[in-house]
Amino acid sequence: MRIAAATAIATVLTLAVGTAAPAAFAGGAEPSTNGLWRMDGYGTVLALGHGTYQEYQTTSVSCLRGDSARQTGPGTYTAGGDVLTVRLARDRDHATLGAASAVGHRELVRVSALPAACTRPTPKGPPASFDVFWQSYEENYPFFAAKGIDWHAVRDEYRPQVHKDTTRAELFDIFSRMVRPLYDAHVAVQDGDRVFAEGRPGTEVPGEQLDARVKKFIVARDLAGAPYRRDFANGRITYADLSVDDRLGYLRISGFGGYLADEKASYAAQLAELDRALNTVLTPERSRHLHGLIIDLRINGGGSDALGIHIAERLTDSPYVAYAKRARNDPADPSRHTRPEPILVLPAHAPRYTGPVAVLTGGSTVSAGETFTQALIDRPGRTVRIGQPTQGVFSDVMERRLPNGMTAWLPNEEYLTDSGRTFDGTGIPPEVSVPVFTEEEFGEGRDSAFDRAVHTMARG
């Protein structure tokens, strides 16, 4: 599969001028989106009506209530600071669902009734929770074959260990042992404050302690002589001019979210804070004078893909496709997917920098940090990746609630290049490979990736 440039440009034009109402809606009021909807992929049914949005998480053996939201306008709902939008598509029986904080859309098909499992109570004992846990991965996880895992053999090994008297702690440990060999940082088991997750071997999933250690090292070593340095977005973004004449800039991004001290801040507020930072950094004068920009993503815990696309829009003067997004769409066949949706980068209506960029990555570049890295691969202009491969997890994370109140987390999507390639598992490789924050680098006061980027940008 290859995403043709003509398709991307056509989509850009459609977004720019708007889409005419489908013929079925012409001359009258648009039909309501209220009712029941099955989501392509994602194992979810939506119930919309009476001012509410209610998800039902379904498998062939279960149906459990998922997230809910309150209606705030025609086809719009608010949940946890995010805005969800449901819009009819080609007729009254087809619609799309989008979230402000995410990229892409989910296709919806109207259905007449909830699945039969939604009309009866779900058993809550350990065997039932095991069955829902296993089935959730069986129907949604796309990467068993790529990781060499026989999920049916896993069930055969662990299902006999679960019975009505299995304790909660024992069941948590069984679930953790089942998914540990996936080494997938988007796979997790949660029971209250207890969480199991495992990243790719040889990497460290970023946390506050690692981020603080690295930031202190960078400020002391790499930015000590910077004539201008400033933190933004609750400390998640740092910018520095590395030379007096403003010819080389450094932009460190440790996450695509958490930009405000208020943990419940809305996505709109996070976006506004990001724009405040970008408007301060990418002034018209600086954007003209910069001859190179280093973007440091080596410690990046992810967050909102949409915020990453928003930054990419400040780094181009022509539209292009960042990647295409698809989801597994057949409970019995992991090779079947939803139709890939191209995700576009459109030039921002604000000052933009379009010169050479060096992107620093490593094994602690995770999730939205990786999708942002991928969004820069085909960026018009000169872009080079320096460091080590990223973590290798790109999908939005599915939350699957279990009958006993535990939660399973797993990916079900792929982010494709224009040639149909994904980087799941392996991560995005650098074009220039150098050490990234090894103990040897710390001990000897070296930052090979930063130094290589400065040298590369200086050479043009």
Side-chain angles (χ1 to χ4, degrees), residues 5 18 99 130 145 176 185-186 202 213 227 230 242 278 282 308 342 370 382 386 410 438 449:
F130 180 98
S176 301
H186 273 175
R213 181 189 186 192
R230 182 173 172 183
L242 300 181
L278 294 177
L282 296 179
E370 301 184 80
R382 291 168 290 174
I386 298 174
L410 66 151
T438 63

Side-chain angles (χ1 to χ4, degrees), residues 25 70 98 107 132 138 147 165 170 184 201 210 228 262 272 282 286 359 363 453:
F25 304 154
R70 59 182 178 85
E107 302 292 330
V132 174
E138 167 70 7
K147 294 176 180 287
D165 295 322
E170 290 170 339
D184 188 324
L210 177 62
Y228 173 86
D262 181 3
L282 296 179
R286 182 177 281 118
V359 183

